[in-house]
Amino acid sequence: MSWRDEPVAVAVASHGLAEAAVEWPRQPLEAAPWERLLRIVDRQRLTGLLAGAVGDERLPVTPEQRAEVSERHREAMIGVLEREALLIDAAVELDGAGVPWRVLKGSASAHLDYDDPALRVFGDVDALVPGERVLDAVEALAAVGARRQRPPLGHGFDARFAKSVELADEQGRQIDLHRTLALEPFGLRIDESDLFVPGATFTVGGRSLPALGVEERFLLACYHASLGNYPVRLVPLRDLAGIALGGQLDPARTVALAERWWARAVTADAVGTAWRLFGLPDASPLAEWATSYRPSRGERLAMDAFQRRDRRQAHRTVATLRTLPGLSRRAAYLSALLRPDPAYLESRGLGRGQWLRRARAALPGGTRR
Amino acid sequence: MSARWVRASSALSRRTLDGALVRPPEGETVHLSAPAAALLRALDVPRTAEEAAADLAAATGADPEVVRWDVDALLADLARRGVVEAAS
């Protein structure tokens, strides 16, 4: 069951977007469609928006349905508060270790990009640190019980090529430590120094936390929407639409930054999808730009590595080798992939031969046995 | 002079459909009913119990004496949980 088959799920995702042209039901849903909606809402992490739509009486519900939404929302928010407590503990350690960092997605989106943070559910803590400080950050976060889930692919790989390092504590609470905003090849085109210019701040539990600026947050939501999952998920589309319509975004700076990061195709794709889905007005500078943008061959190739049912690392590797500027950088990337650390292979349950066969199959003209 | 109370800045919170959730730095997340959540919102600014009760009574049209009694009990409970604290 996909949200594409359930227009009420799209209406719920659009809750709070005054400009959205979506159809809301006029009466409470019958039992079967209601159950379907709840399943999609759970899977898509839309419980906050569902509670908002019920609370504002945009979505008519029976008293029983309201009680069910209330209970589910309460449970979701208990989880969110737990993650924010972990975020604050992480902030203390990262600040104490002198690691520059930014909160990404979840808590930052909830507090900066929604009218009420209770509308935005999130499942982990995401933090961005400079590549050269990833290992310092991993070490600092051991103090909150967070341990990396997999060894690095190779020496220096985290600092230079990885998108993120996954950490988790004994209770399974996750911290994703990001070096950049997207997987390769797109993430490798982002100038890291752009990410640590003065951005926004927000306050949680009396502590001021650093976040990206509004244009950078918007582009992160575009990456997440366009490249994060196939099929696309609703929350990043709602995130980007909310930021775009929130009155703070500078469209000219956004497009300039997207060009600098080789993210114009991603941005145009994400904006186009969100605008179509939520029925947003075409007469906005960003929507007009997105409609008129024509991706290059390289951009299409790179996007194709993500927007396919059988997406794999191999597709991204090929796209990276074909589009990453600089022969030495491509060579370093390929060399790192071809010589993984034994501990990494062991964590994946793979032998060196298996890894190399996979790599060979990924190369242009390669075959997969 | 009556003590002034303020919401503990270190407590995390979220609105819910029928009140609010609050997670103090130590201890468990608690769910507050709508009136308790309204009291907590009122304590974003330091207030005495009398002031908070008067505001709530005016907002709800309830008997100020009854509200005052409820506010005293709620403040004691919230203070014990670390959700509100005496304003300096």
Side-chain angles (χ1 to χ4, degrees):
Chain A
M1 160 60 50
S2 158
W3 57 259
R4 289 177 195 278
D5 307 316
E6 187 48 82
V8 183
V10 175
V12 166
S14 78
H15 176 67
L17 300 174
E19 298 87 341
V22 292
E23 290 234 358
W24 291 91
R26 288 159 195 253
Q27 292 173 24
L29 297 176
E30 298 290 333
W34 176 251
E35 286 304 318
R36 236 179 9 246
L37 176 66
L38 289 183
R39 276 199 297 278
I40 295 170
V41 161
D42 274 353
R43 208 173 306 144
Q44 296 283 328
R45 295 207 173 121
L46 297 173
T47 310
L49 289 160
L50 176 63
V54 168
D56 290 352
E57 299 180 357
R58 289 291 281 156
L59 180 66
V61 288
T62 64
E64 293 76 20
Q65 288 171 343
R66 184 188 163 92
E68 198 170 3
V69 172
S70 176
E71 180 60 31
R72 283 170 183 247
H73 184 240
R74 200 186 294 187
E75 278 173 24
M77 290 299 110
I78 288 172
V80 158
L81 292 182
E82 246 177 54
R83 279 151 222 142
E84 283 197 338
L86 177 63
L87 172 64
I88 290 172
D89 290 345
V92 170
E93 299 305 328
L94 291 171
D95 289 343
V99 176
W101 70 291
R102 302 283 183 268
V103 184
L104 297 182
K105 301 194 280 188
S107 186
S109 298
H111 288 275
L112 291 168
D113 301 325
Y114 282 76
D115 291 340
D116 178 348
L119 296 173
R120 178 64 156 83
V121 175
F122 51 93
D124 59 10
V125 169
D126 292 282
L128 176 80
V129 298
E132 62 188 19
R133 304 300 303 274
V134 167
L135 296 183
D136 295 334
V138 170
E139 198 176 317
L141 293 174
V144 303
R147 302 275 183 275
R148 65 182 304 155
Q149 299 299 288
R150 205 185 281 287
L153 191 141
H155 179 71
F157 190 84
D158 288 346
R160 203 161 171 205
F161 298 114
K163 176 195 165 215
S164 58
V165 175
E166 285 177 19
L167 311 177
D169 68 8
E170 283 183 352
Q171 293 97 58
R173 297 184 304 175
Q174 256 189 289
I175 300 179
D176 283 352
L177 210 48
H178 297 251
R179 183 194 67 81
T180 186
L181 306 185
L183 285 165
E184 74 271 34
F186 294 101
L188 298 178
R189 305 289 289 266
I190 299 171
D191 187 337
E192 193 176 290
S193 62
D194 287 345
L195 302 174
F196 291 91
V197 295
T201 57
F202 63 103
T203 303
V204 174
R207 192 174 183 97
S208 176
L209 300 172
L212 298 174
V214 66
E215 287 83 18
E216 290 84 353
R217 291 201 307 281
F218 175 78
L219 291 181
L220 172 57
C222 290
Y223 284 124
H224 194 195
S226 199
L227 312 177
N229 294 86
Y230 183 86
V232 61
R233 290 177 68 85
L234 289 168
V235 164
L237 293 171
R238 173 60 177 78
D239 283 354
L240 77 88
I243 299 172
L245 301 169
Q248 302 294 312
L249 191 78
D250 176 345
R253 181 170 183 265
T254 302
V255 173
L257 203 54
E259 180 172 6
R260 190 171 151 78
W261 290 357
W262 200 60
R264 284 183 297 178
V266 170
T267 308
D269 177 68
V271 168
T273 305
W275 252 246
R276 280 191 301 277
L277 186 70
F278 298 134
L280 298 172
D282 291 332
S284 82
L286 212 51
E288 285 169 4
W289 169 81
T291 305
S292 65
Y293 185 71
R294 296 287 169 267
S296 67
R297 190 159 168 257
E299 286 174 320
R300 286 201 305 273
L301 176 83
M303 297 279 289
D304 183 59
F306 293 87
Q307 297 183 338
R308 52 194 298 161
R309 208 168 286 283
D310 65 338
R311 49 188 273 166
R312 296 196 308 264
Q313 165 72 51
H315 299 126
R316 296 198 304 274
T317 302
V318 171
T320 304
L321 292 173
R322 285 182 168 169
T323 60
L324 189 65
L327 187 60
S328 63
R329 210 163 169 219
R330 282 203 298 275
Y333 172 73
L334 184 61
S335 165
L337 284 180
L338 290 178
R339 285 188 291 187
D341 202 79
Y344 175 81
L345 288 177
E346 194 184 328
S347 75
R348 300 277 309 263
L350 292 170
R352 183 170 290 277
Q354 282 171 295
W355 179 263
L356 289 175
R357 275 196 295 281
R358 283 187 180 197
R360 201 164 52 229
L363 291 172
T367 54
R368 195 173 171 83
R369 286 190 291 174
Chain B
M1 185 172 162
S2 302
R4 294 172 81 78
W5 294 93
V6 66
R7 171 196 180 120
S9 65
S10 54
L12 308 177
S13 65
R14 282 293 190 281
R15 190 182 58 80
T16 63
L17 266 179
D18 50 2
L21 286 166
V22 189
R23 181 185 167 113
E26 307 295 332
E28 305 236 319
T29 299
V30 289
H31 187 254
L32 305 180
S33 63
L39 171 64
L40 193 62
R41 275 198 302 277
L43 295 178
D44 281 344
V45 177
R47 277 184 162 80
T48 64
E50 294 84 0
E51 290 166 343
D55 287 352
L56 285 179
T60 59
D63 180 343
E65 281 300 309
V66 175
V67 173
R68 175 61 208 273
W69 190 86
D70 287 344
V71 163
D72 282 342
L74 260 172
L75 278 176
D77 185 44
L78 294 176
R80 183 177 57 77
R81 293 175 187 272
V83 175
V84 300
E85 57 197 17
S88 53

